Amino acid sequence: MSDFRCSAKAPSNIALIKYMGKEDPVLNLPANPSISLTLDSLCTMTEVTLGERHGGAVQAELSPVKVHNTVETQLSELAIQKIIHHTKRVIDCLVPEPERGLFHDKTIEIRTTNSFPMGSGIASSASGFAALTLAIAKLCKEVFGKTNPGLNPISMTLLSQISRQGSGSSCRSFEGPWVLWENQSACKIESRLPPLTDLILLVRTQPKKISSSQAHELVKTSPLWEGRVNRVREKIKLLQAALVQDDLAAVSKIAWSELWEMHSLFHTSRETFTYFEPATLQALKWIQPELIGKTPPIVTLDAGPNVHFIVPALSAQMWKEKIQAEFPGFKILEDQQGLGASYGIPTKSCETHFHR
Ligand code: PMV
């Protein structure tokens, strides 16, 4: 059998209503629903190659590769182990047991790269697991699909569910621009908002001390955890309504309240921790007076210190200049809303733009 090569691209996503706290830590089922905006060129591109191997079971070798104007991904040993584990998971979910034997004398080489620098403050696990899931699924289809009608049908819904087991938030990167994730299902939802641009003020780019996995556990020890699930359900309803009504002011208000609620959980957990940096607070205080207008920016933070200003694409230039003028020493990362993961790596798809 000659080498099979498949590739996929998946974008990052930014949640306005946050997935924070797990109901089932093994399956990565969330304690509460979340809603996110899928990005476009802040993405991971992954290429997988099935080649000949002498003996042994499924193996995944990692070798970073530079793909079109991107930055090489430096993966830790732990990240490599997670990728190998997830690769096996995808194959186990898609290929029935008897056919899996075909992989036994093969090697799978995985090349993966992000369009954004590691440690740029952009979560790579969402885009990374989504791209890996899609690329391996394509490989399974190519290798077994034609000869084995027993191959389980592959839909984006199924792939999103498999991907979630590698990294929870990755299940929202398969569709876009707006996605609601509840229990097992992550689905596109309606929005009449104009096309949006995410301007990310990079306050700090070093790896964070508390991983999101640790944060998911710690938030449950906060006295503010009680009632969180019901509060989120209410916010989900309000946000869905605001999206459909093209009510940017309401969306902005909900995102603002949710950013403070999630970070308050961090600040009040049994072992308190914070992602805030001085410039994070400075940016939040600076933007607050702007939130009362009719078309305010949507402001949010992930489990990190960098500030996302999500604005209508038509006013992005104006906002970029304003933010640059206020924070001249900091970089701004910019991306548009997107439609989710796709097979193949389109040329010119994943350029990132840094502004000083
Ligand atoms: O997918 P995880 O386990 O890295 O969790 C992501 C958690 C947040 O980014 C903080 C919130 C979210 O909904 O994306």
Side-chain angles (χ1 to χ4, degrees):
M1 192 196 290
S2 59
D3 285 4
F4 279 92
R5 181 165 297 155
C6 298
S7 58
K9 172 208 152 189
S12 189
N13 67 71
I14 174 73
L16 298 195
I17 306 288
K18 311 292 184 180
Y19 154 52
M20 190 36 68
K22 300 184 188 192
E23 178 66 35
D24 181 330
V26 176
L27 292 174
N28 279 343
L29 290 172
N32 57 261
S34 56
I35 292 182
S36 59
L37 178 69
T38 302
L39 298 176
D40 181 31
S41 62
L42 289 176
C43 63
T44 300
M45 291 145 292
T46 298
E47 184 183 82
V48 297
T49 310
L50 185 74
E52 295 301 328
R53 185 172 186 278
H54 306 293
V58 177
Q59 269 222 346
E61 280 174 16
L62 259 283
S63 63
V65 67
K66 211 167 151 72
V67 180
H68 181 67
N69 198 24
T70 63
V71 184
E72 282 201 9
T73 312
Q74 295 303 325
L75 293 159
S76 66
E77 191 48 43
L78 181 67
I80 292 172
Q81 289 311 317
K82 282 185 179 173
I83 288 171
I84 294 172
H85 183 69
H86 190 69
T87 299
K88 291 177 183 170
R89 176 190 285 133
V90 180
I91 294 170
D92 288 353
C93 287
L94 297 179
V95 183
E97 174 79 56
E99 275 99 41
R100 255 176 253 158
L102 246 181
F103 274 117
H104 285 172
D105 56 350
K106 303 281 182 289
T107 179
I108 298 176
E109 193 176 301
I110 301 166
R111 293 166 192 271
T112 186
T113 189
N114 295 329
S115 66
F116 44 91
M118 280 299 262
S120 68
I122 308 302
S124 57
S125 72
S127 57
F129 278 90
L132 178 65
T133 306
L134 205 53
I136 295 289
K138 178 84 172 141
L139 190 72
C140 293
K141 210 170 162 181
E142 293 285 312
V143 176
F144 300 103
K146 294 183 190 94
T147 46
N148 295 281
L151 185 74
N152 297 329
I154 299 172
S155 64
M156 283 291 181
T157 308
L158 175 65
L159 295 184
S160 154
Q161 289 176 4
I162 299 170
S163 191
R164 189 200 69 231
Q165 295 171 50
S167 153
S169 55
S170 73
C171 74
R172 297 186 309 232
S173 280
F174 286 79
E175 294 196 74
W178 290 97
V179 174
L180 166 67
W181 169 24
E182 184 158 26
N183 296 317
Q184 310 249 10
S185 127
C187 291
K188 186 179 157 163
I189 53 170
E190 196 190 342
S191 166
R192 299 207 181 115
L193 286 185
L196 298 169
T197 297
D198 187 9
L199 299 169
I200 309 163
L201 181 67
L202 296 183
V203 163
R204 184 191 149 107
T205 56
Q206 283 94 330
K208 47 192 181 192
K209 289 206 183 87
I210 302 281
S211 67
S212 55
S213 305
Q214 292 170 294
H216 283 295
E217 284 181 26
L218 284 168
V219 288
K220 291 193 166 180
T221 67
S222 161
L224 304 181
W225 178 256
E226 206 184 320
R228 162 84 180 147
V229 176
N230 288 338
R231 283 195 301 278
V232 171
R233 288 196 181 282
E234 211 37 54
K235 285 192 215 178
I236 290 272
K237 275 193 228 152
L238 293 174
L239 181 56
Q240 280 198 271
L243 290 173
V244 171
Q245 288 156 15
D246 184 17
D247 187 345
L248 192 57
V251 174
S252 166
K253 199 169 162 198
I254 297 160
W256 184 252
S257 109
E258 175 67 355
L259 109 72
W260 288 103
E261 181 166 335
M262 180 175 77
H263 283 264
S264 299
L265 289 169
F266 302 153
H267 297 166
T268 54
S269 71
R270 193 179 48 225
E271 295 153 44
T272 61
F273 61 103
T274 188
Y275 294 105
F276 283 9
E277 293 288 328
T280 311
L281 263 180
Q282 204 187 324
L284 295 175
K285 284 171 99 168
W286 168 72
I287 201 66
Q288 189 166 20
E290 303 279 356
L291 301 180
I292 50 173
K294 258 194 98 185
T295 53
I298 301 164
V299 181
T300 191
L301 300 181
D302 244 331
N306 301 317
V307 186
H308 293 248
F309 299 91
I310 303 170
V311 298
L314 288 178
S315 59
Q317 186 58 31
M318 183 272 287
W319 275 107
K320 202 158 58 194
E321 285 166 16
K322 235 172 136 153
I323 300 166
Q324 264 162 354
E326 190 66 24
F327 298 92
F330 296 94
K331 282 179 176 166
I332 298 171
L333 208 51
E334 175 180 2
D335 199 9
Q336 313 303 321
Q337 67 181 42
L339 298 174
S342 53
Y343 292 115
I345 300 175
T347 20
K348 288 288 254 180
S349 71
C350 285
E351 289 175 50
T352 57
H353 307 283
F354 277 98
H355 300 272
R356 255 209 187 276

